[in-house]
Amino acid sequence: MAKIPFNKPAYIPESEDYVSQAIKSGHLSGDGPFTKRGSALLESLTGARKALLTTSCTHALEMAAILLDLQPGDEVIVPSFTFVSTVNAIVLRGAKPIFIDIRPDTLNLDETQLEGLITPRTKAIFLVHYAGVSCEMDIINQIAEKHQIRVVEDNAHGLFAKYRGKNLGTLGVMATQSFHETKNISTGEGGALLINDPRLIERAEIIREKGTNRSRFFRGMVDKYTWVDIGSSYLPSEMIAAMLLAQLEAAQQIQTRRKQIWETYFEELSGWSTANGIRLPFVPDYCEHPAHIFYLLMPNLEVRTRFIEWMGAHEILSVFHYLPLHLSDMGVKLGGRPGDCPITEDVSDRLVRLPLFFDLSDSQLAYVIETAKSFKL
Ligand SMILES: *Cc1c(COP(=O)(O)O)cnc(C)c1O
């Protein structure tokens, strides 16, 4: 059996045609026909009020932080169990991240700890729907409303997922998506900012266009194109948008296959995991997840290390995930200490992810399962 990678971006033949059309059209910079079609499709798939394509989820998070006017003195509650970009966006504005621990079941921020971390300086909550399984949004939004705090969803994992029938990405004031190579829908690098509060749309377009009113100028809504606010270059090129359109048009096909793989792992590994003290992903019955990650929670770090080696020796790449950000070099500089987020610290040592991608064949899937089950704890 040839080596099985952890991830491989879905190859969608139509993307070649679309990218080539974009190149031949001569309109290579952003905001052309493919950007319009891609963002319209993203709006209809998510139900978000407005979808603005961006160069990455990292940049969409930076835009969200600017749009909330985060500044020195402000505090933002954020899980330590996330990718650096969720927190960088806060720190880049000079605001202070307040790390919150996760729940041991869904690995999402523990909403019961929220009120204890809120101070008069708390401006926002940047949450992450880990593996696309929703955070407890009713409770979180209720707390946020009571304290006049804005909620931003880092929805990098959660495109197409639902919470109590509602789409993730529409449950905060804004949400950010990633189309990085490692995500379900991928353009190599890419992302989007979903905006659910219409009052933020116009300024978001300005921030994405280097702080200019270029978008309004081209729509004929203003007669001068000028510098009106801070901003940066967050608009992707038409080739990226063309690739996104092809990927989004194939979303159902991609999602169907990913879900099959996820369900097969879950069913085939259930008995084995229970017998060996290994925990499989937990999905509350009111959450629909997008099959972004399939993880195993091993009994301890030593077993996980041996498991990754065992899979590797059989030419299968399985990988761990986030290291606690509050214990990273930067996190420690910001005041993080061991024991601040005990569940995060524990889970991060024990979690391992299995290969999960569109092109994974049935025989590869069977081989991964068989190899995992033959691992001796
Ligand atoms: C992938 C990811 C990001 C970063 O996405 P980019 O598009 O690479 O910037 C941010 N947050 C989370 C939770 C992610 O998984």
Side-chain angles (χ1 to χ4, degrees):
M1 177 87 49
K3 202 172 173 81
I4 301 179
F6 169 67
N7 178 59
K8 204 171 126 194
Y11 170 68
I12 304 301
E14 286 72 23
S15 61
E16 291 189 25
D17 181 35
Y18 285 180
V19 172
S20 138
Q21 279 182 42
I23 294 168
K24 287 181 185 141
S25 77
H27 185 142
L28 304 185
S29 60
D31 237 349
F34 282 109
T35 304
K36 290 191 175 71
R37 286 166 71 189
S39 34
L41 183 51
L42 191 56
E43 279 160 16
S44 79
L45 289 170
T46 59
R49 184 67 180 258
K50 184 81 186 172
L52 295 180
L53 303 192
T54 60
T55 34
S56 63
C57 180
T58 301
H59 281 165
L61 285 158
E62 288 179 26
M63 286 180 66
I66 296 172
L67 281 160
L68 293 183
D69 288 316
L70 293 184
Q71 52 189 297
D74 291 340
E75 292 176 357
V76 178
I77 299 173
V78 63
S80 171
F81 193 65
T82 183
F83 189 61
V84 287
S85 297
T86 327
V87 185
N88 257 329
I90 300 162
V91 177
L92 278 166
R93 305 315 308 155
K96 186 173 188 220
I98 303 295
F99 291 112
I100 184 167
D101 207 358
I102 50 173
R103 295 162 51 120
D105 54 1
T106 56
L107 314 186
N108 285 325
L109 70 77
D110 181 352
E111 68 286 349
T112 65
Q113 297 186 21
L114 265 179
E115 287 208 277
L117 295 173
I118 292 173
T119 74
R121 294 178 297 281
T122 310
K123 199 86 168 269
I125 299 165
F126 278 30
L127 57 78
V128 178
H129 303 297
Y130 187 75
V133 176
S134 180
C135 294
E136 289 299 327
M137 294 310 295
D138 284 349
I139 298 168
I140 295 169
N141 276 330
Q142 206 177 4
I143 294 171
E145 206 164 305
K146 178 171 151 201
H147 296 273
Q148 303 278 303
I149 294 167
R150 316 306 291 278
V151 173
V152 174
E153 302 171 77
D154 177 343
N155 197 34
H157 302 183
L159 185 59
F160 312 126
K162 289 184 200 290
Y163 168 76
R164 299 191 189 280
K166 290 177 273 191
N167 292 339
L168 300 196
T170 62
L171 305 174
V173 57
M174 286 175 271
T176 62
Q177 302 298 154
S178 174
F179 307 122
H180 184 261
E181 180 175 304
T182 51
K183 303 307 197 295
N184 291 22
I185 297 292
S186 66
T187 62
E189 304 280 354
L193 179 66
L194 306 185
I195 304 174
N196 299 311
D197 179 346
R199 291 167 300 182
L200 297 173
I201 295 172
E202 188 184 327
R203 188 165 176 233
E205 289 183 325
I206 289 169
I207 290 165
R208 190 177 63 156
E209 275 286 16
K210 301 97 186 166
T212 71
N213 59 359
R214 185 176 179 277
S215 303
R216 283 169 72 75
F217 174 74
F218 280 115
R219 284 202 295 264
M221 293 162 77
V222 287
D223 57 13
K224 300 202 293 297
Y225 164 23
T226 186
W227 185 25
V228 293
D229 201 336
I230 61 167
S232 191
S233 185
Y234 295 133
L235 179 67
S237 80
E238 277 285 282
M239 284 79 78
I240 295 288
M243 180 136 183
L244 179 65
L245 183 65
Q247 289 261 324
L248 286 176
E249 285 177 350
Q252 207 179 351
Q253 195 189 335
I254 294 173
Q255 289 302 103
T256 301
R257 177 62 185 156
R258 292 189 71 110
K259 280 182 196 170
Q260 268 172 0
I261 295 169
W262 196 100
E263 293 296 339
T264 306
Y265 275 143
F266 196 86
E267 282 157 27
E268 298 290 326
L269 295 175
S270 276
W272 166 78
S273 61
T274 311
N276 288 286
I278 295 166
R279 182 165 89 59
L280 300 187
F282 169 72
V283 183
D285 57 13
Y286 46 85
C287 292
E288 264 177 58
H289 73 90
H292 177 53
I293 291 173
F294 191 89
Y295 66 79
L296 306 173
L297 267 184
M298 293 305 197
N300 58 51
L301 176 60
E302 187 269 329
V303 174
R304 184 186 70 178
T305 307
R306 280 198 290 112
F307 180 81
I308 292 175
E309 281 166 9
W310 171 260
M311 299 301 275
H314 293 82
E315 305 280 295
I316 298 166
L317 202 64
S318 61
V319 294
F320 55 83
H321 210 185
Y322 303 130
L323 300 173
L325 284 176
H326 69 285
L327 297 181
S328 64
D329 288 357
M330 185 67 186
V332 168
K333 273 187 217 160
L334 291 166
R337 282 170 322 220
D340 284 354
C341 298
I343 309 286
T344 300
E345 292 165 32
D346 173 50
V347 161
S348 135
D349 275 349
R350 298 195 286 120
L351 188 142
V352 56
R353 295 173 291 161
L354 298 182
L356 173 51
F357 52 90
F358 179 65
D359 285 333
L360 191 73
S361 69
D362 285 342
S363 60
Q364 286 176 316
L365 178 59
Y367 175 68
V368 175
I369 291 166
E370 180 202 323
T371 309
K373 284 164 88 167
S374 61
F375 170 68
K376 299 277 175 294
L377 275 83

